[in-house]
Amino acid sequence: MLVKQLKDNESSTYTYLIEDEPTKEAVIIDPVKEHVEEYIQFLDSLNLKLKYILDTHVHADHITGSGILREKTGAESVLGEQTKAACVSRKVKDGEVLSFGSIDIKVISTPGHTPCHVAYLIEDRVFTGDALFINGCGRTDFQGGSAEQLWNSVTGKLFQLDPDTLVCPGHDYKMKRVSTIQQEKDLNPRFKNQTKEGFIELMNNLNLPDPKKIHEAVPANEACGV
Ligand SMILES: N[C@@H](CCC(=O)N[C@@H](CS)C(=O)NCC(=O)O)C(=O)O
Ligand SMILES: [Fe+2]
C-alpha cells in the first residue's frame, strides 16, 4: 500500500491518495476542489483507477473535490450515513467495510465535530478527519457538533485502536504530518489527564471565529461541491 499525503495550504487540509500497488486501484480521502486537476494528473501518471472518494465529513472550511472527481473518474463518493448530502453515491455506517484491490477500509463512526463524521481505518493507519488532530481535535461549536459525542468517539473508539496505529489527521495548522494513537493518548492536551466534563467545558469555551468560508462551503459540500 502506498500513501501520498497532499496539503491544501489555504485551509491546512490534508488529502490522502492511497494505492493498492498490485491492482492499481486507489482511493482518495478528503479531496479539495481547487486541486482536482493535480489529483487526476497524479492518478493518470501512475495509471491508477480511482474506486472511492471518501470524505470524513461535510467540511466547513473548504469545498470538497468529490463531486468533480466523481464526474471525471467514475469513482463512487462516500460519506457517513448521518449526512444530509443527498448527492453522495454511497452512505456508510459504523463497522462497514469497503475494499479496493486487496485492501480493506473499515468505517468508524466518530460523531462530534459533525454528526456524520467517520474515520477510515486502512491497515495500520487511521484517517481521523477532524475528530482527532495531532495535539488537538476538531471544534464542536457548529454544524450540529457535540463535545460529549466527540469525547466518546475519541476516547471510546479511536483510543481503543492498536496503540501503534498511525494517525493521519484531516488538518494540521502547525506543520505536523503524522502521529500514533499512543502519542495522542500520551500527549494530546485536549484529552491527556482530562475528564469528559472538563473536555466539554473546554470545547464549549474555545470562542473561535467561524471559518472564513463556512457560508459558502457547507451548502456547496451538501451538493458534493458541484
Ligand atoms: N481559520 C480557519 C479556521 C478553520 C476551522 O475552524 N477549522 C475547523 C475544522 S473544519 C476546526 O475544527 N478547527 C480547529 C481549530 O481551529 O482549533 C478558517 O477560517 O478556515
Ligand atoms: Fe471540519
Side-chain angles (χ1 to χ4, degrees):
M1 178 170 90
L2 279 181
V3 180
K4 189 169 169 69
Q5 184 184 47
L6 301 153
K7 184 134 192 200
D8 173 55
N9 289 324
E10 202 194 327
S11 62
S12 299
T13 298
Y14 282 131
T15 299
Y16 300 91
L17 257 161
I18 308 164
E19 170 194 354
D20 177 55
E21 292 164 277
T23 61
K24 297 271 178 195
E25 283 196 326
V27 298
I28 192 165
I29 300 179
D30 287 334
V32 175
K33 187 172 185 175
E34 284 77 8
H35 301 292
V36 165
E37 277 312 317
E38 289 162 46
Y39 309 144
I40 290 180
Q41 277 174 20
F42 183 79
L43 291 165
D44 286 350
S45 71
L46 293 178
N47 244 332
L48 301 178
K49 167 97 182 103
L50 193 66
K51 185 165 181 197
Y52 292 117
I53 304 154
L54 308 160
D55 267 309
T56 53
H57 63 293
V58 171
H59 306 280
D61 60 337
H62 68 272
I63 299 179
T64 178
S66 63
I68 302 183
L69 263 176
R70 176 174 61 181
E71 279 171 15
K72 298 204 174 206
T73 64
E76 277 192 280
S77 66
V78 177
L79 267 171
E81 64 174 345
Q82 301 297 332
T83 184
K84 287 188 272 175
C87 57
V88 73
S89 315
R90 182 160 177 164
K91 295 186 182 181
V92 287
K93 56 176 186 286
D94 188 48
E96 194 167 338
V97 178
L98 304 175
S99 65
F100 62 109
S102 58
I103 298 173
D104 284 345
I105 305 165
K106 186 175 172 202
V107 177
I108 307 173
S109 166
T110 44
H113 176 63
T114 68
C116 70
H117 196 288
V118 294
Y120 298 104
L121 179 67
I122 307 181
E123 297 193 338
D124 59 346
R125 292 174 185 254
V126 62
F127 297 86
T128 55
D130 296 3
L132 181 64
F133 298 150
I134 300 169
N135 292 331
C137 63
R139 58 197 288 179
T140 53
D141 60 334
F142 55 55
Q143 284 186 287
S146 155
E148 181 173 13
Q149 283 188 346
L150 186 60
W151 173 268
N152 292 338
S153 293
V154 172
T155 63
K157 288 186 162 170
L158 299 177
F159 282 0
Q160 303 308 312
L161 296 172
D162 184 317
D164 293 331
T165 308
L166 296 172
V167 171
C168 301
H171 294 286
D172 190 84
Y173 302 97
K174 293 186 179 151
M175 313 273 287
K176 296 219 188 302
R177 294 165 65 93
V178 70
S179 168
T180 66
I181 291 294
Q182 188 67 55
Q183 281 178 48
E184 294 315 307
K185 285 167 93 166
D186 291 345
L187 301 173
N188 193 311
R190 294 262 168 100
F191 298 97
K192 189 180 120 184
N193 300 327
Q194 185 57 284
T195 60
K196 184 193 273 201
E197 292 67 33
F199 178 76
I200 294 170
E201 172 78 17
L202 174 82
M203 293 305 289
N204 289 346
N205 290 288
L206 289 178
N207 297 318
L208 296 168
D210 272 351
K212 290 186 287 295
K213 283 194 175 173
I214 189 167
H215 297 296
E216 175 194 354
V218 173
N221 290 332
E222 285 177 346
C224 294
V226 184

